[in-house]
Amino acid sequence: MEAQPPVIRAFGAAAIAEAAVLIRAGGIVAVPTETVYGLAADARDAQAVARIYAAKGRPSFNPLIVHVADLAAAEAIAVFDADAHALAARFWPGPLTLVLPLRDRAGIASLVTAGLDTIAIRVPAHRAIQALIAAADAPLAAPSANASNGLSPTRAEHVAASLGARAPLIIDDGATEAGVESTIVAGRTILRPGPITADMLGRVLPVAPGTTAHVSAPGQLATHYAPAKPLRLNARDREADEWLIGFGDVTGDDTLSSRGDLVEAAAALFDALHRADASAAARIAVAPVPDDGVGVAINDRLRRAAHR
């Protein structure tokens, strides 16, 4: 017997109420944020969080981001210093995740932090996940709503295609705005580039890109964000068996931005990769993208996607 397809509900009060019932019962729900669609569960419920890992096939050592309603809710879970307060004041609600010390007796399931003494936390700006946080009255662990190492979803149909019945309910509120996952900062180190760029952060605090010896935040696995097909980067011409994703003056079967607009490219990135993966071509090629501003995040995702 074939598994039932996921239920997709248009965003609204009824859909959020239905989703909140599932969350409170220990279930999982796919919900849009301003970055990508997330697969959400109550971050205090270890079994619910385990359902996220099971649905995604996610490695147990890769932590999850916890989404909360506001700064006060974040401070009940994590220990903030002056730097964290400064970043939160400037960029929350929004696509910035802070990696901070986990507060004693915070009530967060250890599976969320992968056993670490830090937690990745953010206050999202999107109306759908904020409505679900309020209706469920819970902090939500919500990694991207796709199979692990697959393409991150920017539309409800991407979630359905990647997870199928493993995402029993999907809240559909259209395409996400940013198109790439949140920027992650630990202290004054950028662990993952994203919509909040280094230049934007630098206007608040001196920050620098960095790496860690262990996985302390989502998106640090080398093979994250990979399509099924081989991917060639910095391509200016299409080879015979390739689907070429263009940028700027490099035209192809698709384009991230014919105008060379990096923000437009970021929003289009995963849509374009999904289309390429679904095409008849055996391989994917992507045109060069400038490595500045949000282009750093785009290239980060593409390098991970090309790593095999």
Side-chain angles (χ1 to χ4, degrees):
M1 183 176 178
E2 291 186 4
Q4 293 297 310
V7 174
I8 301 177
R9 301 279 192 235
F11 171 76
I16 291 298
E18 183 179 351
V21 169
L22 277 178
I23 294 291
R24 288 194 296 267
I28 57 177
V29 174
V31 60
T33 78
E34 68 271 29
T35 56
V36 299
Y37 275 67
L39 191 61
D42 187 335
R44 304 166 300 187
D45 183 336
Q47 290 190 23
V49 174
R51 292 185 182 103
I52 293 176
Y53 284 92
K56 288 177 61 67
R58 192 181 180 90
S60 61
F61 52 83
N62 200 3
L64 305 181
I65 295 172
V66 174
H67 300 72
V68 295
D70 52 30
L71 177 59
E75 289 179 314
I77 294 171
V79 179
F80 281 67
D81 59 13
D83 285 357
H85 272 125
L87 292 174
R90 174 62 183 84
F91 297 113
W92 279 0
L96 175 67
T97 294
L98 298 177
V99 178
L100 300 169
L102 181 65
R103 193 173 290 280
D104 289 342
R105 295 180 292 279
I108 298 298
S110 62
L111 198 55
V112 169
T113 64
L116 300 174
D117 58 4
T118 56
I119 187 165
I121 195 164
R122 84 176 179 102
V123 176
H126 197 284
R127 63 180 185 174
I129 192 167
Q130 277 286 357
L132 184 55
I133 290 167
D137 191 24
L140 298 180
S144 57
N146 58 278
S148 191
N149 296 335
L151 298 174
S152 294
T154 57
R155 297 177 182 272
E157 54 263 37
H158 296 164
V159 181
S162 183
L163 295 180
R166 289 176 286 167
L169 176 62
I170 303 170
I171 304 299
D172 185 357
D173 200 16
T176 60
E177 180 181 353
V180 293
E181 291 86 345
S182 62
T183 304
I184 299 179
V185 174
R188 296 187 174 187
T189 300
I190 301 170
L191 297 185
R192 182 177 75 184
I196 305 298
T197 67
D199 285 346
M200 294 163 69
L201 292 164
R203 294 174 199 141
V204 179
L205 291 174
V207 295
T211 58
T212 57
H214 64 285
V215 176
S216 61
Q220 291 182 279
L221 294 181
T223 57
H224 211 45
Y225 317 114
K229 296 175 180 177
L231 179 64
R232 182 169 67 93
L233 304 181
N234 299 314
R236 294 191 172 274
D237 297 290
R238 180 197 304 103
E239 294 183 1
D241 62 344
E242 289 180 331
W243 176 279
L244 176 60
I245 300 173
F247 178 83
D249 60 2
V250 177
T251 59
D253 302 286
D254 203 346
T255 185
L256 296 177
S257 173
S258 59
R259 300 179 297 163
D261 185 316
L262 288 172
V263 173
E264 182 181 23
L269 177 62
F270 286 114
D271 265 345
L273 287 172
H274 277 282
R275 286 190 291 269
D277 226 15
S279 75
R283 297 188 297 139
I284 303 169
V286 184
V289 175
D291 204 32
D292 54 49
V294 76
V296 175
I298 294 169
N299 284 314
D300 173 76
R301 301 302 184 274
L302 290 172
R303 282 190 293 269
R304 293 172 189 271
H307 183 92
R308 305 185 75 82

